[in-house]
């Protein structure tokens, strides 16, 4: 059994999609990050960094319970556990390269673009421009790579596609104000529509719908999500 610590956000969405694609048995454990659940001692024992997603595999290596945090680490762990969505052995160098490109480029810069466009004080035009333009550059890199390809790696659907889908699904929010945010990236747009049509995507989107996550962006939410902005909070 996999205990899946979840909040509706791009990185947990990747793990939700993998679990649904792989048909693994899992239990959703809601972590309401707007209320600060990620900072409790109980959750910090699962992820010392206080972020979602995280999982606990009750049947980890050697049958022992194992914790895994960070969405990329979770995808690699689960893919190796079930032997799916890793491509061929010859694909391994490309798979690791693109997986890390999403993990260290597309994801963080998309997250910062969202933060500075929606959460930060007005007037930080340099930061907005910096992160949006870098996201657009990342999209161009992905778009060029996908020319003539159905998937990122070889001929198979892999955890790279799953990982990239998590953030590309939020392209309209990342590129604020764009009616069709992927229109300028036709290969990426075709790829996204291909992945988004998979039956497991609809099931992944439904994960957590039975929990009433906090939606109000009040002072409690800001202190929970951005504690480093508050000098009185012990990190």
């Amino acid at each position: 059994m996999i205990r899946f610590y979840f909040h509706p956000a791009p990185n947990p969405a990747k793990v939700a999609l993998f679990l649904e694609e792989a048909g693994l048995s899992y239990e959703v454990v809601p972590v309401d990050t707007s209320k600060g659940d990620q900072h409790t001692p109980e959750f910090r024992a699962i992820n010392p960094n206080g972020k979602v997603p995280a999982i606990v595999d009750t049947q980890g290596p050697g049958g022992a319970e194992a914790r895994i945090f960070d969405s990329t680490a979770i995808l690699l762990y689960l893919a190796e556990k079930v032997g799916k969505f890793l491509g061929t052995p010859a694909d391994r160098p490309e798979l690791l390269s693109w997986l890390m490109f999403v993990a260290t480029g597309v994801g963080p810069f998309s997250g910062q673009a969202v933060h500075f466009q929606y959460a930060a004080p007005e007037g930080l035009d340099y930061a907005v421009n910096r992160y949006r333009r870098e996201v657009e550059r990342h999209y161009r890199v992905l778009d060029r790579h996908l020319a003539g390809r159905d998937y990122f790696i070889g001929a198979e659907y892999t955890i790279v596609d799953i990982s990239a889908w998590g953030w590309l699904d939020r392209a309209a929010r990342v590129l604020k104000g764009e009616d069709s945010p992927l229109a300028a990236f036709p290969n990426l747009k075709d790829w996204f529509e291909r992945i988004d049509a998979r039956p497991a995507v609809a099931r992944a989107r439904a994960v957590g719908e039975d929990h009433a996550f906090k939606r109000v962006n009040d002072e409690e939410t800001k202190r929970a999500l951005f504690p480093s902005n508050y000098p009185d909070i012990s990190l």
Side-chain angles (χ1 to χ4, degrees):
M1 170 67 75
I2 303 293
R3 292 201 298 273
F4 175 28
Y5 295 82
F6 174 85
H7 185 94
N11 288 324
K14 305 172 186 180
V15 177
L17 180 53
F18 183 96
L19 291 167
E20 288 296 333
E21 292 280 15
L24 285 169
S25 178
Y26 66 95
E27 171 194 3
V28 175
V29 182
V31 179
D32 200 328
T33 59
S34 292
K35 293 181 178 179
D37 291 353
Q38 71 275 33
H39 304 307
T40 65
E42 293 79 12
F43 184 70
R44 288 296 181 99
I46 304 300
N47 183 356
N49 192 36
K51 303 286 185 180
V52 288
I55 66 170
V56 171
D57 182 2
T58 60
Q59 293 293 318
E65 188 171 277
R67 70 170 187 184
I68 308 93
F69 56 88
D70 184 274
S71 61
T72 302
I74 294 168
L75 290 177
L76 276 168
Y77 172 83
L78 291 176
E80 291 172 351
K81 178 182 176 74
V82 302
K84 294 181 178 180
F85 310 121
L86 288 168
T88 69
D91 293 330
R92 186 74 170 182
E94 285 286 302
L95 180 135
L96 291 174
S97 296
W98 287 106
L99 190 65
M100 298 308 160
F101 176 73
V102 174
T104 64
V106 176
F109 278 86
S110 295
Q112 292 297 331
V114 169
H115 177 80
F116 282 100
Q117 291 176 109
Y118 293 94
E122 293 184 4
L124 300 176
D125 295 342
Y126 176 87
V128 172
N129 180 70
R130 162 68 177 160
Y131 288 112
R132 275 194 65 131
R133 287 180 63 85
E134 190 68 356
V135 168
E136 290 166 355
R137 186 186 72 80
H138 290 157
Y139 282 14
R140 285 193 293 273
V141 171
L142 299 176
D143 188 68
R144 286 193 294 266
H145 177 70
L146 285 166
R149 299 173 182 268
D150 288 336
Y151 305 110
F152 275 102
I153 307 301
E156 298 182 27
Y157 176 71
T158 69
I159 54 175
V160 176
D161 300 290
I162 292 172
S163 184
W165 171 85
W167 272 106
L168 268 296
D169 189 44
R170 302 298 181 95
R173 187 163 175 82
V174 173
L175 298 183
K176 182 181 179 181
E178 296 287 342
D179 292 334
S180 182
L182 297 182
F185 315 97
N187 301 314
L188 187 58
K189 184 174 183 290
D190 288 348
W191 165 87
F192 177 78
E193 291 174 351
R194 188 178 306 115
I195 303 305
D196 207 51
R198 295 177 69 90
V201 167
R203 299 195 299 273
R205 284 206 176 100
V207 170
E209 284 187 345
D210 57 346
H211 183 82
F213 289 97
K214 182 181 177 183
R215 304 291 183 183
V216 179
N217 186 25
D218 56 13
E219 184 66 16
E220 178 193 44
T221 297
K222 293 174 183 177
R223 293 175 72 88
L225 295 180
F226 316 121
S228 57
N229 290 346
Y230 297 86
D232 61 307
I233 295 179
S234 177
L235 299 175

